[in-house]
Amino acid sequence: MTLSCDVALAARIERAEARLLADAVARVAFRVGGRGDVLSRSLAGGIAAFAEPGSPLNKIAGLGFDDAVPEEELEEVERVFALRECPVRVELSSLADPALGAFLTRRGYVLEGFEDVLGLALPARDLPPIPEDVGVRPSGPEELELWLDVTVAGFLSPDTQGVPSNESFEEEVLRRVIRDFAQAEGMTRYLAERGGVPAGGGSVRVAGGLAQLCGAATLPDHRRRGVQTALLAERLAAASRAGCDLAVVTTQPGSKSQENARRRGFALLYTRAVLVRGS
């Protein structure tokens, strides 16, 4: 049966994404010990966040499912971003209140891209077989740096299939962001090995019956060898054992990651528009 999405399900997913963003920014605040310009502010059921210059955590997420956005609160967030010389990036679900998109457009926000949210009903059934030379296991705190090395290197060499992302990040910034996400509450890291050597990494956050698949990447020399399939299968199995009823993943439209997820039974739930207002 094909999974479909209504407004209530989209709201559930978007609120979980906002909580994950808040947790990651809280890790940033803890790491810098009160230094810097970290921002984490509730906004109309969503969150406005700023971690550091050039960070993918700098955005507004989760809007459009509760009350209308108070204009004065958005103005204050925009002033904070302007002081940090950072554009304001809003990720807006296609199932959010349509009036919000019009409101943002009138304020000068410009459409810069899209990202797709895919979902799979759990417990997972008919999981794909894992190649004999590929193994996946939980990755503990003692090998966080190894996990980061593999995952960051994979992200820095993305597949070029599909619509390219409208964002790019410096390696050290990306490493800090992935570290902060990977240590968020409810997150479990997984390391994939092929032929006994590290080949890829991924993570999954389990919260409120929802499994958020995050941070999966494969080293270029190990691609097209079943590593992504193995990472996906292990995380789905773990989420099923944890009692989750839904797994979600965010991909670029038409990307190899999206192709892999669709092949494994994920359905497109909705699209997020990326709206940006310059600093």
Side-chain angles (χ1 to χ4, degrees):
M1 181 178 67
T2 302
L3 183 66
S4 61
C5 187
D6 58 13
V7 172
L9 180 55
R12 178 188 175 195
I13 296 169
E14 290 298 291
R15 288 168 185 145
E17 288 293 316
R19 288 193 296 271
L20 177 55
L21 176 59
D23 285 353
V25 175
R27 293 293 310 180
V28 176
F30 176 79
R31 170 165 51 80
V32 301
R35 305 185 309 276
D37 296 315
V38 177
L39 168 72
S40 180
R41 173 173 176 170
S42 296
L43 182 66
I47 180 176
F50 179 91
E52 64 176 303
S55 172
L57 300 181
N58 303 340
K59 61 184 177 181
I60 300 175
L63 300 183
F65 295 97
D66 289 297
D67 297 332
V69 178
E71 190 164 3
E72 64 277 10
E73 291 188 22
L74 180 59
E75 287 177 351
E76 175 59 27
V77 168
E78 290 168 347
R79 282 194 291 270
V80 170
F81 273 70
L83 288 172
R84 290 155 173 75
E85 299 182 342
C86 178
V88 186
R89 172 188 172 101
V90 178
E91 295 177 355
L92 183 64
S93 168
S94 56
L95 289 173
D97 182 355
L100 180 55
F103 168 70
L104 293 172
T105 300
R106 289 194 299 270
R107 293 190 61 80
Y109 287 80
V110 176
L111 178 66
E112 287 200 356
F114 299 94
E115 56 186 35
D116 288 337
V117 178
L118 289 79
L120 177 71
L122 297 177
R125 306 183 188 280
D126 301 321
L127 291 174
I130 297 176
E132 291 185 0
D133 63 340
V134 177
V136 177
R137 57 177 173 77
S139 180
E142 72 283 354
E143 58 178 15
L144 174 60
E145 296 306 320
L146 169 63
W147 183 88
L148 283 168
D149 289 343
V150 173
T151 306
V152 172
F155 272 114
L156 290 174
S157 300
D159 275 307
T160 56
Q161 177 177 316
V163 178
S165 172
N166 68 325
E167 295 182 292
S168 61
F169 308 104
E170 296 180 1
E171 180 175 353
E172 286 307 310
V173 172
L174 186 62
R175 188 180 183 91
R176 288 193 292 271
V177 168
I178 293 175
R179 178 194 295 272
D180 292 326
F181 264 119
Q183 297 181 97
E185 183 179 355
M187 194 75 76
T188 301
R189 298 184 299 275
Y190 289 87
L191 185 69
E193 296 176 328
R194 177 170 169 262
V197 300
S203 57
V204 60
R205 173 182 164 107
V206 171
L210 185 68
Q212 296 166 278
L213 304 178
C214 311
T218 304
L219 295 175
D221 290 347
H222 298 279
R223 290 175 183 169
R224 314 298 190 267
R225 299 293 188 273
V227 174
Q228 280 291 327
T229 295
L231 281 166
L232 181 60
E234 183 60 33
R235 289 180 294 163
L236 290 177
S240 298
R241 292 191 297 269
C244 292
D245 65 291
L246 179 68
V248 294
V249 63
T250 301
T251 68
Q252 285 297 113
S255 64
K256 189 65 179 179
S257 293
Q258 183 172 106
E259 178 185 308
N260 289 338
R262 293 292 294 268
R263 186 183 299 121
R264 303 307 171 191
F266 280 77
L268 176 63
L269 301 181
Y270 57 90
T271 296
R272 293 190 189 113
V274 179
L275 302 168
V276 179
R277 181 182 182 184
S279 59

